[in-house]
Amino acid sequence: MPGIDLKQVRREVGIQQVLGLLNFVPTSRQGLRLRGPCPIHDAPSPRSRSFSVHLGCHRYRCFCCHSAGTQLDLWARVHGLSIYAAAKDLCEHLGIPVPYLPSNSFSQHPGR
């Protein structure tokens, strides 16, 4: 299985794109920070503010389910995928090519 350049996926896909795909509707906004119901644990109230996103840092945190991470972690958690599968799935949803790593980057080093 070829590797995926996860750093490149994180550079090319913003957290705002992921939130759009998840139909996230914020309940408040303060500068680059959004608050709203958590898409991971399906907050019972659409007015919930337990989920916090910083658009500039491309990071999120839920103060109820304690999930936190990048846009790729968010997509993985919502869909129950590994990071590898999430990167591939997210690229396919957005119609962008999956940035596979060249096969020579997996060369084995004897004695390690």
Side-chain angles (χ1 to χ4, degrees), residues 88-101:
K88 189 173 177 185
D89 187 56
L90 189 54
C91 287
E92 289 170 0
H93 268 82
L94 292 171
I96 61 175
V98 179
Y100 289 107
L101 293 169

Side-chain angles (χ1 to χ4, degrees), residues 15 52-61 68-71 73:
I15 199 160
S52 178
V53 179
H54 193 285
L55 300 175
C57 297
H58 301 282
R59 305 220 24 111
Y60 77 93
R61 177 173 177 80
T70 66
Q71 63 273 39
D73 299 313

Side-chain angles (χ1 to χ4, degrees), residues 24 36-43 45 48 50-51 60 62 64-65 67 74:
F24 175 76
C38 180
I40 298 168
H41 74 268
D42 291 326
S45 169
S48 171
S50 65
F51 185 76
Y60 77 93
C62 177
C64 274
C65 69
S67 179
L74 176 60

